[in-house]
Every structure is written in C-alpha cells, then in structure tokens.
Amino acid sequence: MNEAKMKALVSELARVKSEQNVLAALAIYHPEAELVSPSFEATAVGSEEVHKQLGLFFLMFPDYHVALEHYAINGSIMLATATVTLSANIPGKTTPQIELPVFLEFHFKENRISKEVFHLDAGLICRRSGISQAEFKETINTYLIVKSMEESYA
C-alpha cells in the first residue's frame, strides 16, 4: 500500500467520522480492525465491537469533527496529528463546543485500516467542558446501558 492510498483512506475515515457515519467508517476499517482509545480505557476488536465503540463515542460527542493536520508514514504505519471539535453530551448539562489536539496512529492491512490508536485526552475534555471526571464516566456508563438495551431489543 502506498503513501497516497494510506492518506486517502485516513482522510476518508476522518470525513465519515465527522459525519458520525459509523457504517461508512466500518467499510474503511479491516473486518478484524482494532480501535484503541487509551484515555477512555477502551479497546474494540472486530467490526461488531468497533461498531459499538463508535456508536457510543458519537452518543457522547454528537457534533464530533476532526481535521487532519500533519502526518508521517513509516512502512505500513501512519502517525498523524489533528484537531477535533466536539461538545460533550452530558444529560442535564449544557457544555460548550471545544477544540482539542489529537494524536492518531494508523496501521494498514489488505488496503484497509487494521488498527487505529486514538489519543484524545479525556481529562482535557472534562476541564475545557466544565464537567467532572465522575460526570464523564457516569455518562459513558449510562450510554453503555442504553446501547446494551437497544441491542437486546433489536
């Protein structure tokens, strides 16, 4: 896979994730892809888990937008920096839209993204949004329950 193809895949992934289009994102990820979000203590492996993790993320940040800035490629790995804009969806609270830096690591396999490590600082989201880490974690747990209930009724 060449550099132009890698950059095109990552750019397309950024575009569809900025539209909260989970199905389009899944078409870009390898079926056995791994999605890692260290600050959120979350790892998803395989299309089904990646689907769930992205769905949860977009419940939490329904206006998420990412703009890629710089990248470097070494073999089948791309490192990138970007700026994300988002508002935390905390029940009963109005939070401001904030802008944060993010560091991304992409691995490629069979012309698709096989791994993404998404370094978005949850603590910084809390500080800039005016929410506590407890509120943040409670909201994630609430959305996990909601998603689980939706799946059981589907």
Side-chain angles (χ1 to χ4, degrees):
M1 176 175 251
N2 66 34
E3 187 173 308
K5 177 72 173 171
M6 290 176 178
K7 189 170 185 222
L9 276 176
V10 169
S11 294
E12 181 63 7
L13 183 64
R15 185 186 71 74
V16 301
K17 285 172 84 176
S18 292
E19 296 172 352
Q20 293 75 44
N21 188 335
V22 174
L23 294 179
L26 289 174
I28 296 167
Y29 287 117
H30 189 278
E32 298 165 4
E34 183 178 4
L35 182 55
V36 182
S37 302
S39 187
F40 294 85
E41 300 176 359
T43 299
V45 179
S47 294
E48 187 176 321
E49 286 184 21
V50 170
H51 186 274
K52 289 177 186 177
Q53 187 167 321
L54 289 175
L56 176 63
F57 185 82
F58 295 137
L59 272 174
M60 189 74 184
F61 307 109
D63 62 346
Y64 171 85
H65 182 268
V66 62
L68 296 170
E69 294 168 348
H70 305 284
Y71 70 95
I73 296 174
N74 185 5
S76 64
I77 299 173
M78 173 192 278
L79 302 177
T81 59
T83 298
V84 298
T85 306
L86 54 81
S87 303
N89 183 15
I90 307 295
K93 247 190 158 161
T94 302
T95 62
Q97 187 174 66
I98 58 174
E99 189 174 278
L100 302 167
V102 65
F103 175 75
L104 305 146
E105 175 185 334
F106 297 98
H107 298 242
F108 300 86
K109 180 174 143 184
E110 299 172 355
N111 293 315
R112 293 171 88 177
I113 295 172
S114 61
K115 181 176 183 179
E116 177 183 358
V117 183
F118 184 69
H119 295 278
L120 178 62
D121 188 331
L124 193 54
I125 291 171
C126 291
R127 283 191 299 280
R128 292 199 181 164
S129 297
I131 57 177
S132 70
Q133 289 188 359
E135 288 173 307
F136 187 80
K137 288 179 181 180
E138 181 180 316
T139 300
I140 289 174
N141 289 335
T142 298
Y143 289 149
L144 280 170
I145 293 167
V146 168
K147 292 297 280 178
S148 177
M149 291 174 67
E150 286 174 353
E151 291 167 12
S152 67
Y153 290 113

